[in-house]
Amino acid sequence: MYDEFATNTMRENGRVRAAAPECKGQLGWVYHKGYCYMFTSYHETFNQAAEECNKVGAYLADILDEEENNWIKSVLMVINPKDGTDYFAGGYDADRNKHMEWITGNEMCFDNFAQNQPDGNPYSHLDYDLDFGWNAKDDANDQDNGFICKRPI
């Protein structure tokens, strides 16, 4: 099935067919269902990661449903350097009350938090040791985090 966001065509083996939109602007973006994603293993604090995403017109990823979560995890399983690098997403517990919200303002209707998570630490985190299940971290104590940027096409 072709992507519902297809806006162009491509020629392959002499056949013209629908093509997914391209993530232009910088190299390394990956397209998925109306959004472009950048996965980076740069080890940054949560705030630095958010700033880096903002510099390229994106935001730390909000993960809105199980399908998107499974796709992100499948990409991380392939690209992760297998060195324990974890990845920040855009969940934030500003009040440290064990209630995460997306920094985009989107409601956190879906989550993939490990048992007893979130635990009052402020930043959402896809944990390598949990096959990229989610937990909450305070980057003052945990500085092995890459991050995921997201922007609409």
Side-chain angles (χ1 to χ4, degrees):
M1 184 162 105
Y2 298 119
D3 188 297
E4 64 192 272
F5 297 95
T7 57
N8 209 340
T9 59
M10 64 181 181
R11 181 176 300 276
E12 182 177 9
N13 297 328
R15 293 181 52 209
V16 175
R17 59 182 224 176
E22 298 174 2
C23 294
K24 293 187 177 185
Q26 301 88 18
L27 296 176
W29 289 88
V30 180
Y31 173 78
H32 180 71
K33 293 198 173 181
Y35 293 91
C36 297
Y37 297 80
M38 171 69 78
F39 298 84
T40 180
S41 59
Y42 295 166
H43 294 181
E44 299 286 5
T45 66
F46 182 89
N47 288 329
Q48 288 169 324
E51 188 173 317
E52 290 300 318
C53 291
N54 289 334
K55 285 180 186 177
V56 293
Y59 49 88
L60 279 173
D62 51 5
I63 303 171
L64 302 177
D65 59 37
E66 185 174 15
E67 190 279 331
E68 182 179 22
N69 184 65
N70 290 340
W71 179 79
I72 287 171
K73 285 174 59 172
S74 74
V75 172
L76 291 175
M77 291 292 195
V78 172
I79 67 165
N80 186 272
K82 311 296 187 263
D83 64 355
T85 296
D86 303 322
Y87 292 82
F88 282 126
Y92 183 57
D93 183 355
D95 299 325
R96 295 184 177 235
N97 63 2
K98 302 181 183 181
H99 179 73
M100 287 271 176
E101 298 177 359
W102 294 117
I103 60 175
T104 60
N106 286 324
E107 188 176 349
M108 192 175 280
C109 296
F110 167 81
D111 72 63
N112 190 37
F113 284 109
Q115 187 173 2
N116 301 317
Q117 291 288 326
D119 61 1
N121 281 311
Y123 309 119
S124 66
H125 174 265
L126 282 71
D127 193 317
Y128 172 82
D129 294 322
L130 299 174
D131 289 331
F132 302 110
W134 306 2
N135 57 21
K137 293 288 181 175
D138 185 337
D139 61 14
N141 302 320
D142 187 13
Q143 298 180 358
D144 68 338
N145 303 294
F147 54 96
I148 306 164
C149 299
K150 179 180 175 182
R151 64 178 166 90
I153 189 71

